[in-house]
Amino acid sequence: MAMAELSTPKTTSPFLHSSSRLRLSSKLHLSNHFRHLLLPPLPTTPNSRISCSVSQNSQAPVAVQENGLVKTKKECYGVFCLTYDLKAEEETKSWKKLIRIAVSGAAGMISNHLLFKLASGEVFGPDQPIALKLLGSERSRQALEGVAMELEDSLFPLLREVDIGTDAYEVFQDVEWALLIGAKPRGPGMERAALLDINGQIFAEQGKALNAVASPNVKVLVVGNPCNTNALICLKNAPNIPAKNFHALTRLDENRAKCQLALKAGVFYDKVSNMTIWGNHSTTQVPDFLNARINGVPVKEVITDHKWLEEGFTESVQKRGGLLIQKWGRSSAASTAVSIVDAIKSLVTPTPEGDWFSTGVYTNGNPYGIAEDLVFSMPCRSKGDGDYELVKDVEIDDYLRNRIAKSEAELLAEKKCVAHLTGEGIAYCDLGPVDTMLPGEV
Ligand code: LMR
């Protein structure tokens, strides 16, 4: 039996302390937020220590008693419950301060690719220790343990903590990054409005949880579809976190667009730059071939088949997800994980001179006349500090303007469907029959 000690978090929330309370209150259908307000705190003493033990037989850590009280434990897993002092070891002395990264849908396919990339150091660098906070549904609890076991067995030096849990208020505690992947897929016969509502509720709740317990400057990347509107819902429910910190993943679309242009031009895809995806992560998205470059030359000068650019290319990017589902029988997972890595790296490393990247961001103050108060994919640059600025001088011609307006209209319609989740009153949902599709729904 190995024993380990964990320090109590600075802000101690009562719901961290008793799983039996959580079960009882969830039967009463109280949201986590209300649970937080209603449950009386368990007695804690300042600077009290929390112990957790790792049983040799069961692998999973168990709560232990200290001073006659059942002490809380974070849901640390196995070897990750051990404590360590990074400053005490020669090899780790120069490492940066540990960062906490939450991943929802942690037992899913995308996460199964992503988590190992995060843990390897490929994303945040070889001197950045990380803690992974894995959020899943109650149904996926066993699978979450399986994921944690595989992370244990991978012996990643930079992976210092793994917690698993099903309560966003617990898992998001102090996180600096939140990668929100978990969402319900659209089931057979399900109205798109119903999907927006079901997933919207998940992201409203997670926004509230981030607002309550995450680091105040947490960066949030929403992957679960419909990701733009989910990101909007999330940010509206997290008023204490800057709206600028929320992103919807359109990097996969950017990567797909680069690949198609490279294929047509007969060059390797690293020669394609300045690729913007405008708008929604849906079949109305606009891959911008007007401003993209191949070997530094405008795409339209390299690829003279402009009909293909306007029709074939655009549609191939818009519908790539659907084609992939036809081939695979399921949604993209590995390439989505890679694009999440790319999206994060674009924020934590300086953007190469003259280039930019696409990400879905809050539109307030945008110079392109796109309606305010949406999450819309646009060209951005970063100094590598986790923040970004919009690229403000990208040319927009009539073709682009018309296409962008369609995607904007779609997002405005989606926004009306979720007004009840963004605090804007009663929802009214009237989505067009054709264009309101996820890439995977074609
Ligand atoms: C993708 O672009 O591959 C996914 O968003 C498709 C989907 O609908 O899951």
Side-chain angles (χ1 to χ4, degrees):
M1 166 98 69
M3 290 292 295
E5 283 196 329
L6 299 168
S7 299
T8 38
K10 282 190 298 295
T11 10
T12 316
S13 301
F15 51 77
L16 289 177
H17 291 259
S18 166
S19 55
S20 62
R21 283 159 186 252
L22 296 189
R23 272 198 294 278
L24 175 66
S25 51
S26 64
K27 274 190 200 136
L28 295 172
H29 300 292
L30 295 175
S31 72
N32 287 322
H33 183 59
F34 288 114
R35 278 190 258 158
H36 174 52
L37 296 175
L38 294 177
L39 291 173
L42 288 177
T44 54
T45 49
N47 304 320
S48 63
R49 306 285 287 171
I50 299 171
S51 299
C52 96
S53 66
V54 187
S55 147
Q56 297 285 345
N57 300 331
S58 68
Q59 294 254 356
V62 292
V64 295
Q65 290 212 347
E66 200 178 271
N67 304 332
L69 290 171
V70 176
K71 286 290 181 179
T72 62
K73 63 173 184 62
K74 294 195 298 171
E75 299 207 42
C76 60
Y77 193 85
V79 73
F80 302 110
C81 293
L82 301 173
T83 52
Y84 47 80
D85 178 5
L86 291 176
K87 295 292 166 212
E89 306 277 336
E90 206 49 49
E91 315 87 85
T92 59
K93 224 163 96 179
S94 60
W95 283 5
K96 295 176 184 155
K97 190 168 159 282
L98 176 129
I99 54 169
R100 294 178 180 78
I101 305 162
V103 179
S104 77
M109 292 287 285
I110 297 171
S111 298
N112 203 246
H113 293 275
L114 177 66
L115 293 170
F116 294 82
K117 289 175 169 293
L118 292 168
S120 73
E122 175 186 339
V123 186
F124 289 99
D127 58 350
Q128 179 59 74
I130 64 166
L132 288 175
K133 312 279 169 180
L134 309 184
L135 180 65
S137 61
E138 203 51 67
R139 246 176 359 136
S140 69
R141 178 166 274 284
Q142 280 229 98
L144 281 179
E145 289 184 19
V147 172
M149 285 167 67
E150 284 209 88
L151 285 166
E152 281 187 307
D153 296 345
S154 301
L155 306 183
F156 289 117
L158 292 162
L159 182 59
R160 291 289 156 157
E161 292 176 22
V162 173
D163 295 352
I164 58 177
T166 56
D167 182 339
Y169 281 80
E170 191 171 328
V171 175
F172 291 167
Q173 188 79 44
D174 296 327
V175 297
E176 281 114 335
W177 287 85
L179 312 176
L180 305 184
I181 299 169
K184 272 220 156 39
R186 180 158 151 174
M190 188 193 281
E191 294 285 329
R192 186 173 164 82
L195 180 76
L196 275 164
D197 183 50
I198 291 172
N199 282 336
Q201 292 191 40
I202 295 173
F203 287 88
E205 196 59 27
Q206 292 185 355
K208 289 191 180 93
L210 287 167
N211 199 55
V213 299
S215 156
N217 198 29
V218 60
K219 304 290 188 290
V220 184
L221 176 60
V222 176
V223 178
N225 279 318
C227 61
N228 295 55
T229 296
N230 288 340
L232 183 71
I233 293 167
C234 198
L235 75 86
K236 291 285 182 181
N237 283 279
N240 298 336
I241 300 168
K244 205 185 171 200
N245 289 16
F246 290 78
H247 298 258
L249 184 80
T250 54
R251 185 51 171 266
L252 178 57
D253 305 301
E254 175 184 327
N255 291 355
R256 288 168 171 168
K258 283 178 166 167
C259 181
Q260 294 307 308
L261 290 177
L263 189 63
K264 182 76 171 175
V267 300
F268 200 59
Y269 35 67
D270 63 348
K271 302 291 181 281
V272 186
S273 64
N274 303 83
M275 187 71 238
T276 311
I277 299 295
W278 297 93
N280 200 1
H281 175 67
S282 78
T283 53
T284 66
Q285 66 177 271
V286 188
D288 176 352
F289 53 83
L290 179 68
N291 295 289
R293 292 177 169 257
I294 296 174
N295 278 319
V297 177
V299 162
K300 281 177 101 173
E301 288 174 30
V302 180
I303 299 171
T304 50
D305 182 354
H306 294 175
K307 189 166 164 8
W308 176 82
L309 285 172
E310 288 186 8
E311 292 168 15
F313 163 68
T314 299
E315 201 173 304
S316 70
V317 180
Q318 292 170 333
K319 298 187 174 174
R320 182 77 167 177
L323 185 59
L324 204 122
I325 288 172
Q326 275 174 29
K327 305 271 181 197
W328 249 122
R330 57 145 180 83
S331 223
S332 57
S335 57
T336 303
V338 168
S339 72
I340 294 170
V341 167
D342 291 342
I344 299 170
K345 276 162 98 175
S346 288
L347 293 170
V348 298
T349 49
T351 310
E353 190 59 37
D355 201 1
W356 60 69
F357 56 89
S358 302
T359 176
V361 290
Y362 195 52
T363 49
N364 279 15
N366 80 88
Y368 296 107
I370 291 154
E372 303 239 314
D373 207 27
L374 292 177
V375 171
F376 204 86
S377 184
M378 291 189 277
C380 295
R381 294 181 49 79
S382 175
K383 294 188 179 76
D385 54 359
D387 208 350
Y388 67 88
E389 58 200 32
L390 286 179
V391 179
K392 300 213 166 103
D393 51 359
V394 171
E395 183 193 345
I396 297 190
D397 65 2
D398 285 347
Y399 170 88
L400 278 184
R401 191 169 296 107
N402 289 337
R403 295 288 182 125
I404 288 172
K406 255 180 130 179
S407 208
E408 180 190 30
E410 181 181 69
L411 280 168
L412 286 167
E414 286 189 16
K415 186 178 160 187
K416 284 195 186 143
C417 294
V418 298
H420 59 306
L421 298 170
T422 56
E424 280 161 34
I426 298 167
Y428 169 73
C429 206
D430 181 15
L431 297 166
V434 182
D435 286 331
T436 52
M437 309 283 270
L438 300 172
E441 290 175 338
V442 290

